[in-house]
Structure formats: C-alpha cells, structure tokens
Amino acid sequence: EIHRLQHATDERILALISQRADPGKSILDSALLIDQLEQSKSASADQRRRMAQSEQAEVKTDTARLRYYALARHAATLYFAMAEMAKVNHMYQFSLARFMQLFTAVFEETKAKASVVGSGPPAAEQEHFLARLKALARALTAKVHSYVIRSLYEQDRLTWSFLLLTRLLRADAELDEVALGFFLHGADATHQASLPN
C-alpha cells in the first residue's frame, strides 16, 4: 500500500511538471507542485519510519523464535517418535492435532506454576527463561509418554519407552551409536561395521 501511494504521488508530480502552463517560469514558482513535493517528502519520511519499525519488529520476532528453538526441536522429536510407533503396529496412529493439544495443555499448566518474571537483571531473567524451557520440555515429555503408554498394547510399552529414549538422546547428540548398534545387533554387527569396504 505504501509503495502504491508513493507511486501515485510521483505520478502526480510528474504530471504537474509536464503540464506547466508557462515554460519560462521556474518549476519552484508552482504552488501546487511544491505542495505535492512536500506531501511526497512527508510520505517518504513516514514510509522510512514504518520500515524501521517493521525491521525492529522482525528482529524481535526472530530473537523470540530463536529463544524457543530448543523447545521446538524437542517437541518435534517427541511428535516424530509418536508417529514412528505406527511402524510397530498400524493401530498406533497419533495426530498432530492431538499432539498440539497436549503441547498447549502443558504450556498452560507450566504457565500457571511459573513465577512472574520481574524487571530484575537480564542474567536472572535469562536463567528463569531457561529453567522454564527445561520445565516445559520435561512436562511435555512426561505428558506425551503417559498419553502414548495408555494407547499401547502391553507388549509394545517397553518398545515405546526405548524408542522415545533413543530419539531424545540422538536429538541431544548424547547417544553412542556404536553402543546402540552393539546392543541391538550384538558384537558381530560392530565388528563388521569396523571392517573396510
């Protein structure tokens, strides 16, 4: 919209310049043209101000988004672990909508328990924020785990717990893949993996 208004003003100015009645007079003698130039200058300043505000808002939004990145990655790991249970049994279908309901419930529950952040030093606020993120991650993990466990057949509950644990450890780069391979496949698999091709 701003660009459209600026373009329309520019077109009026150009029309006024090209339609000057007396070619011998200076362009600066036309009051209407000067008025249009002043309006254009004012609109341009307003546009620059709005653009600066928009850039500041974008920076704030990006900063807030990046602060929650670890929680978003954790939540994605939980959801895809849930979705992976369909490979164990086709009856285990979990929707993203239901996961979002669990996430929202956890967010509201921990919000009610969280203390109000004051206007203390930035380090204290950052520490409080990180503690809240950890609390959210723990609560979400517990809520998702209990929700899925209630949905599973008895013989698949241990599989779910193992799958969830390995996915979370892998996401945090704390899973020893060699040890996992040894656990799942035995000594022969780790020996064969170390042989050159």
Side-chain angles (χ1 to χ4, degrees):
E1 179 189 337
I2 293 171
H3 294 297
R4 186 182 53 79
L5 292 173
Q6 185 68 35
H7 182 68
T9 303
D10 291 344
E11 290 295 321
R12 283 193 305 261
I13 291 170
L14 289 173
L16 286 171
I17 290 173
S18 64
Q19 295 174 357
R20 281 186 309 128
D22 187 4
K25 283 180 122 184
S26 171
I27 292 177
L28 299 176
D29 290 338
S30 171
L32 186 59
L33 181 60
I34 297 213
D35 250 5
Q36 285 295 316
L37 287 170
E38 287 296 325
Q39 286 177 7
S40 176
K41 181 180 174 182
S42 173
S44 179
D46 187 46
Q47 181 181 4
R48 282 193 297 274
R49 183 183 52 79
R50 286 183 186 177
M51 290 292 286
Q53 288 175 343
S54 175
E55 288 172 3
Q56 289 173 350
E58 185 177 348
V59 166
K60 285 181 182 179
T61 302
D62 286 345
T63 302
R65 181 179 49 83
L66 289 174
R67 287 181 76 189
Y68 285 96
Y69 179 77
L71 181 63
R73 191 177 55 116
H74 184 79
T77 301
L78 292 173
Y79 173 72
F80 287 112
M82 285 173 60
E84 203 165 342
M85 284 303 291
K87 294 177 183 175
V88 174
N89 187 326
H90 71 280
M91 297 287 290
Y92 303 146
Q93 301 288 326
F94 300 100
S95 72
L96 180 59
R98 181 61 183 140
F99 180 81
M100 291 303 297
Q101 289 173 344
L102 293 172
F103 183 87
T104 304
V106 165
F107 193 81
E108 292 301 322
E109 289 167 7
T110 58
K111 186 177 175 182
K113 295 176 187 176
S115 62
V116 177
V117 178
S119 58
E125 287 185 25
Q126 179 68 10
E127 186 177 311
H128 175 78
F129 179 77
L130 293 175
R132 173 139 164 75
L133 283 184
K134 286 180 184 176
L136 276 167
R138 278 193 306 272
L140 182 61
T141 301
K143 187 106 167 163
V144 166
H145 185 265
S146 84
Y147 172 75
V148 172
I149 282 286
R150 284 179 288 169
S151 306
L152 301 178
Y153 295 125
E154 185 69 35
Q155 69 267 18
D156 295 327
R157 290 180 177 182
L158 189 57
T159 303
W160 159 247
S161 295
F162 181 74
L163 175 72
L164 181 62
L165 176 67
T166 56
R167 294 303 175 262
L168 290 173
L169 289 174
R170 185 174 283 142
D172 292 338
E174 295 178 13
L175 183 64
D176 183 352
E177 296 290 340
V178 174
L180 179 63
F182 180 77
F183 177 74
L184 293 175
H185 305 289
D188 191 42
T190 57
H191 175 70
Q192 287 177 357
S194 66
L195 293 176
N197 289 336

